[in-house]
Amino acid sequence: MTPIWTTVVVVAALAVSAGLGWVAAAGVLRLADRTPPADPAAVPEPEPVEVDPGTRRGRRRRAGDGPDGDRARARLRGGTWIGVLERLAVTGTLLAGEPGGVAVVVAIKGLGRYPELRGGDDPGVSERFVIGTLASLVWAGAAGVLGRWLLTR
């Protein structure tokens, strides 16, 4: 395999892992937050919409208690950037042929988030951590394994 092809595969795998992994993790969190109302006749209140002045696009924000709610987002500050770095690290270790590095990434993330998770007063926070981490790890693992397979063909 040529060095150019190797570089293209590594950069593409890392880009897919980091960039599209965010979309995948956010989608899984949104799906996990869909809980049916206890009373089918009850009509839920409309969710607030934030409008980005630059793009004029609206984005629904959940004010509830679930894993995609504002409370869980506020407690787990920096989760988006941590997730991007986590996916880059996992994909990178798999591309390098060192799958043991995944355990190091998971341990560092768990220890780093331990103070926020230890409180236990908001189940949405721990749900967001577990669901987001698993979705992120599955996506990064798939990108890393596919990239490694392409490199060793």
Side-chain angles (χ1 to χ4, degrees):
M1 180 173 296
T2 65
I4 292 175
W5 175 246
T6 301
T7 303
V8 167
V9 169
V10 169
V11 169
L14 290 172
V16 165
S17 177
L20 294 179
W22 175 82
V23 175
V28 169
L29 283 168
R30 263 188 248 108
L31 285 173
D33 204 30
R34 295 177 186 243
T35 54
D39 180 13
V43 178
E45 293 181 27
E47 298 171 357
V49 177
E50 291 179 357
V51 178
D52 181 9
T55 62
R56 295 187 187 157
R57 289 185 174 172
R59 184 176 112 165
R60 297 207 180 274
R61 294 295 305 265
R62 305 202 43 95
D65 294 331
D68 199 30
D70 287 336
R71 284 185 223 146
R73 288 175 189 266
R75 288 281 303 273
L76 296 175
R77 301 172 307 284
T80 300
W81 286 107
I82 292 170
V84 169
L85 294 172
E86 168 193 4
R87 286 186 295 277
L88 287 173
V90 168
T91 303
T93 60
L94 293 174
L95 288 172
E98 295 292 336
V102 176
V104 174
V105 172
V106 172
I108 290 171
K109 186 172 181 183
L111 289 173
R113 286 295 193 188
Y114 181 71
E116 287 98 346
L117 299 172
R118 184 178 47 174
D121 56 341
D122 188 359
V125 173
S126 58
E127 287 174 12
R128 181 174 182 81
F129 177 79
V130 170
I131 293 168
T133 298
L134 289 177
S136 189
L137 287 174
V138 167
W139 185 267
V145 167
L146 177 62
R148 182 71 182 169
W149 178 75
L150 289 172
L151 289 173
T152 57
R153 276 182 78 201

